[in-house]
Amino acid sequence: MEEGNPSFTVDEALVGIGFGKFQLYVLAYAGMGWVAEAMEMMLLSFVGPAVQSLWSLSAREESLITSVVFAGMLIGAYSWGIVADKHGRRRGFIITAVVTFLAGFLSSFAPNYMSLIVLRCLVGLGLGGGPVLVSWYLEFIPAPNRGTWMIVFSAFWTVGTVFEASLAWLIMPSLGWRWLLALSSLPSSLLLLFYRWTPESPRYLILQGRKAEAQSILEKIARMNGSPLPKGVLRSEIETENKKSIPTENTHLLKPVEETSAPSLSKIVPPDNSNGPGFMLLTLLSPELIKRTLLLWVVFFGNAFAYYGVVLLTTELNNSQNSCHLTGKVLQHSSNDVNYRDVFIASFAEFPGLLISAAMVDRLGRKATMSSTLFLCCIFLLPLLTHQSPTVTTALLFGGRTCVSAAFAVVYIYAPEIYPTAVRTTGVGVASSVGRIGGVLCPLVAVGLVHGCHQTVAVLLFVIVMFVSGICVCLFPFETSGRELTDTISSASKKRPLSSSSSV
């Protein structure tokens, strides 16, 4: 309250309103996008072996089918993040949904290897918009229970992987990979059907000076949840920063040269002619953000490399390890060699991973959850440095996938929380892009080395990458559990925890 005029921020409004029907709608919509992305990623485990047999592909050509998807995601994650920060979250994720659906559906009609490569790269370009949906959903969740509800959101990814494994088990032996590609593209179309009812993020709107629209959306949230808005008028962090910089009778006047230390508008919102891709990237590498940015890049790389590695190892080790172990030779395999039962069982590993992360993320914090699960995943994979029986292999990969799924779920909570609204989707998008580099390299290890009977080297690389990622998590500058989101760069490191009892 300032000079008798009460006011409130978006965070304070969301805490006052609480989690209700509106957030459940947003959860369902964003969750469907997460299901669609999980299905498109999971099917890579099945399409590669199928077309390898059909078109007599080499191990390198088979791994390229997966790598081009990650290459497209690398470009898309950065590009769509910038679009979302400049033109709004809604525009960002609708474009990605269109690209993902069309390219995914057309992939099922690919007449040859090269056309499939091009179309899957376009699918990856669309899937790169996943971080936009994550940021959009996050910006509607009250701070006190944000961790728990982000874990619930992550459960949609697990639903997508299990559903895709089930679909492959039912379809691949009889109808083949083309039907699997076509049916897996359908969830993306649901994002298009319900797009008209999706609201823009009030955080984005208020940062753009569209306070009336932001207020209208907050009022809509309050009506749907049956809770009143806090009394007063909506204020932005820009106004708060400017008020703090206005001298009063109790403050010492600054010399003209010293006035440059006051918060400037360019520090809060980049000017329209300066917020291009290069400027946004430089902002992420500014002194205020560089440490968290570089550490986050390493962690995203490690999580993506490890997660997709464990997924691909589930198919590859159960597909070719016995022949390598017995003969030491590289043999050709068909899609029928894939043990769909074991892949299906391993997919359920993500559910205990989500339960573990849900139990830990708000109690122990984001950092402790990520580091402990990454280190534990290393322990599960170590026995696979040598050949194990199919049952032991499946059990170890189940445990490894449980841990890496928990870590991956939490990093998608932590990443948008450490960036201000002005660069949130760009920051998460760039970090996700770096993760896609791990995804590009992962098939070369999981497919190429295992096919070449170099299982020990492949598993050792995964263990090293995960261990380094766990160390980087420990080096993150601060814990975000219970902290309110920031809108401006200058206040990104000053925010204090916001409890459910906060008053305005």
Side-chain angles (χ1 to χ4, degrees), residues 33-45 47 69 73 99-105 107 119-120 123-124 127 157 160-161 164 180-188 308:
W34 219 223
V35 167
E37 181 166 343
M39 291 180 65
E40 290 287 354
M41 296 308 303
M42 186 65 185
L43 66 81
L44 296 174
S45 300
V47 173
V69 176
M73 294 176 77
V99 173
T100 302
F101 170 66
L102 291 179
F105 186 74
S107 293
L119 287 169
R120 296 315 295 175
V123 169
L127 293 177
W157 179 280
T161 60
E164 185 66 25
L180 183 66
L181 285 173
L183 293 175
S184 298
S185 68
L186 295 182
S188 297
Y308 295 114

Side-chain angles (χ1 to χ4, degrees), residues 129 184 234 434 436:
S184 298
L234 180 63
V434 175
R436 304 316 175 191

Side-chain angles (χ1 to χ4, degrees), residues 218-291:
L218 290 174
E219 291 172 353
K220 178 181 179 181
I221 298 173
R223 286 196 303 270
M224 288 188 65
N225 289 5
S227 301
L229 274 176
K231 295 181 179 180
V233 296
L234 180 63
R235 73 174 187 274
S236 66
E237 285 189 4
I238 298 177
E239 295 170 333
T240 303
E241 293 287 344
N242 288 338
K243 286 180 180 179
K244 289 179 180 179
S245 66
I246 297 175
T248 66
E249 60 182 7
N250 295 322
T251 60
H252 297 287
L253 293 178
L254 299 175
K255 296 179 182 180
V257 176
E258 295 174 327
E259 290 177 356
T260 57
S261 63
S264 63
L265 187 61
S266 63
K267 187 109 175 181
I268 300 170
V269 186
D272 290 338
N273 60 355
S274 301
N275 58 350
F279 182 89
M280 301 296 274
L281 183 58
L282 289 176
T283 302
L284 297 178
L285 298 176
S286 63
E288 296 87 353
L289 303 178
I290 187 170
K291 181 179 180 180

